[in-house]
Amino acid sequence: MSAGVGQLSDGVGRGSDGLGVRGLTKRFGETTVLDAVDFSVAPGEVVALIGENGAGKTTLLRVVSGFYRPDGGEVLVDGKPTVLRGPRDAAAIGVGMVHQHFLLIPELTVAENVVLGREPGSGPLLDLRAAEAEVRACAERFGLDVDPRARVGDLGVSAQQRVELLKVLVRGARFLLLDEPTGLLPPSGVRELFALVERLAAEGCGVVLVTHRLREVFAVSQRATVLRHGVVTGEREIAASDERELARLMIGEDLDLDERQPSQTAADAVEVLQVERLSVAGRGERPAVDDVSLSVRAGEVVGIAGVSGSGQIELLEAVSGVRPIVSGRVRIGERVLDGDGIRARRAAGLGYVPEDRLHDGLVADLTVAENLVLCADPERGFFERGWIVRERVESEGREVVADHDVRPPDPDALCGALSGGNQQKVLVARELRGAPRVLLAAEPVRGLDFRATDAVHRRLRAICDGGGGVLLVSTDLVELLEHCDRILVMFAGGIAGEVRPDETSEDAIGLLMSGGGSAAVGDSRG
Amino acid sequence: MNVVADTLVGTLGIATPLLFATLGGVVSERSGVINLGLESYLLAGAFGAAAGTLAAGSLLVGVGVGLLAAGAVALAHGILATRTRADHVVTGVALNLLVDAATIAALVSLYGTKGSSPLFSDGLVEALGASKVLGLSPLTWLSLVAIPLVVVALARTKAGLRLRAVGENPRCAESLGVSAARVRLLSVVTAGLITGLGGVFLAFDVGSFSKHMAGGRGYLALACVVIGKWRPRWAAAAAIGFAFLKALANQLQTAARIPDEIPRMLPYVITLVVLSGIVGRARPPAALGKPLA
């Protein structure tokens, strides 16, 4: 630790101005999440805070924004040790945080969300007009396009993030903490966000950007602090560093970033999944999925891109059988599944990794082993005449935990107690153990770190190598471009175009995602 | 003609305690606290009103003691709902049983009876009669005025915005410096005071307290909250609607021989229908019944 501290004292941006922590330690129960961490951000500076899942990045942000109390060390505001008794204290000194999972109230309007806690109006009365005017003025000042009277629940993800930003901006933040802000944004949204970050920094705001996408670090920040297992492993000026170095600091070893092996899918390979003219009801008049046809051939990973809410999740849910189909048909292998349920689909060789892994994919209160055998094929012998065969379940648990590097390697651990990455490993493992012909995966690596991400992608590829196919929904274009053989772009419930990763660009896909660029469709198909 | 007038006056009389309890229920539930304890607030309010009036010989003191009793029960309920992770449904029902038993115990120790308190003196009964405005108790008028008051308070005040915010997402409210626990506690106590007025009305209407006096109105009020989809004006409309049906049934009962159980059953049947989603979707506050972490 002493070496780290010595290195840091030479670091940049360490003036008396700014927000920081010194010797910060935070424990949850017996786990030490942050261990004697030093960190700071100066006014006008953009600092990237990077690290693997569970490295302690979000915890650090939550300490400086007043959500958690430190167990050791102190928070420094302009050089002075400061006790934050809650988010209110942090807000008072100008710390604003944009949470990874937005803290918004869908039922309320934009203006109501933004002014909550510091409402304008005389006496007990709330002056909604003044609130709307304030929000509108702030939105215009920072070039954020939001209607103050809109209900937040009716807004798309990008707009919701703008509301989150507005909440911070109207409070006149001196320090802006962004926790994984780009995960849900299309490329244009990321550019807009970074332009705003640069502008705020130019106006003297200190910005902390938590991310696991190294490219973003280089796009916008001047300095990077790397956390690993709750310890600062390095602090680098961006101009004097590179991705490889930062990656090494993050994972503690050189990363084996092997190049993707594009599978050689013959055009005449057998179709393992065929979806014909599928439509799914939406919330309002407009269908969520509108007359979509697609196919996945053996050995193929087919990606579905789109701004979240374009119907891709509904499409996957309909194919998997959890969401009713209005019209159209689904064929898995040779089996046409008209009106058949989930059981029939699984029997035909369908695996499904839902978007919300803990909510829809696993049972948090069951153990890893129990989750693994939840929906297993009866032929795999976990049950006999309705009784659980303990030895079989236990051996399955042990095998999976070892094969899939689940940590802690305890098949009897409750799934809810695992980190997100390890939950995903369990979920993916369960679906793979059924040897699916087709795997549907929605955002399978969201929130996962390098290694877990790599592990999941290898497993997807392994299905293809075994003659299966994968339908992969992701809002991360880089992921799709790197791992898919074909990418379908969805817009407003329909397929806006199909592209091949080696013949397209993020921008071209971004255009399709936003409903523009039919020319690009022609190009890529030609 | 007389029948119509009787039905209308009857409706408003029957509606009064139900309206107060319904509005109290809306206030509590919109802040995220499931309120099955409305019945206990009514009982406490009624008992306090009767005991206070009898002890001091003053109706105003009765109102004060009634509000105090209902407020105290609600405070206990609010503390349980905000400081512990106790299940809201269980605490509410437990409170109803507890207060029901407590009022009977108090009847025994104060008045030596298990059934009901002594009747108010003739003077007090006269005073109650004299206080009527256009033939209706001032409390009835207050219950009607309370509808727009609650509507405005929820939609157009700072406290109302915070209450709604906490009912939807307490963590978000906390992050903006709003104490979710305090908002919920105050909401439940406010619900207790509003509902307590309904209890006071029950005691004043009869001129005494008798056991089980709330008679399931608390549960019925909760049904109104659900049927009104947690919006005060629709919940109030539901309460008045049920009161009207009851008044109508009272009028017709002798003539048409409708069994009393039919109109009494109706609210719950409608509640089930609403909850089943057949008639539009009832969307409760997102954080309803979720304890604060």
Side-chain angles (χ1 to χ4, degrees), chain A residues 3-21:
Chain A
V5 173
Q7 192 182 349
L8 283 168
S9 58
D10 301 323
V12 254
R14 201 142 272 279
S16 62
D17 272 6
L19 177 69
V21 296

Side-chain angles (χ1 to χ4, degrees), chain A residues 301-322:
Chain A
V301 179
V302 175
I304 297 184
V307 180
S308 52
S310 299
Q312 58 276 65
I313 297 299
E314 289 84 352
L315 170 66
L316 230 54
E317 288 177 349
V319 173
S320 75
V322 300

Side-chain angles (χ1 to χ4, degrees), chain A residues 147-159:
Chain A
D147 173 10
R149 310 180 86 148
R151 223 179 54 99
V152 164
D154 294 336
L155 299 177
V157 184
S158 303

Side-chain angles (χ1 to χ4, degrees), chain B residues 40-278:
Chain B
S40 68
Y41 306 169
L42 283 171
L43 273 174
F47 182 83
T53 304
L54 287 167
S58 151
L59 294 171
L60 275 182
V61 171
V63 174
V65 176
L67 285 180
L68 215 60
V73 171
L75 182 67
H77 192 192
I79 289 172
L80 280 174
T82 54
R83 296 291 167 85
T84 73
R85 298 185 59 82
D87 185 275
H88 291 178
V89 172
V90 176
T91 41
V93 173
L95 216 55
N96 290 345
L97 297 172
L98 181 77
V99 173
D100 190 48
T103 52
I104 296 171
L107 276 179
V108 172
S109 66
L110 284 180
Y111 311 113
T113 80
K114 271 186 168 178
S116 49
S117 74
L119 285 168
F120 294 178
S121 68
D122 291 347
L124 288 170
V125 173
E126 256 172 50
L128 277 172
S131 71
K132 288 195 174 175
V133 181
L134 299 176
L136 292 169
S137 158
L139 286 169
T140 300
W141 292 110
L142 184 59
S143 73
L144 293 174
V145 174
I147 303 169
L149 282 181
V150 170
V151 170
V152 170
L154 281 181
R156 290 279 182 265
T157 67
K158 297 172 185 178
L161 174 62
R162 291 174 179 203
L163 184 151
R164 285 182 287 139
V166 169
E168 294 289 338
N169 187 345
R171 240 164 51 79
C172 173
E174 288 273 354
S175 77
L176 297 172
V178 175
S179 162
R182 189 188 306 165
V183 167
R184 279 192 175 178
L185 185 64
L186 288 175
S187 303
V188 173
V189 171
T190 305
L193 295 176
I194 297 173
T195 310
L197 284 170
V200 173
F201 177 88
L202 287 176
F204 283 8
D205 198 36
V206 181
S208 74
F209 175 85
S210 52
K211 66 176 178 183
H212 314 315
M213 196 167 204
R217 288 180 184 81
Y219 296 102
L220 183 54
L222 201 60
C224 293
V225 173
V226 175
I227 292 166
K229 300 183 178 179
W230 287 270
R231 302 218 191 97
R233 67 188 79 178
W234 298 117
I240 293 172
F242 287 139
F244 175 73
L245 286 179
K246 180 84 169 80
L248 199 63
N250 287 347
Q251 291 291 323
L252 299 180
Q253 208 162 19
T254 39
R257 300 225 190 108
I258 304 168
D260 189 35
E261 283 74 16
I262 299 284
R264 274 173 42 197
M265 215 166 62
L266 204 58
Y268 302 102
V269 173
I270 297 179
T271 304
L272 282 174
V273 171
V274 169
L275 281 178
S276 68
I278 297 168

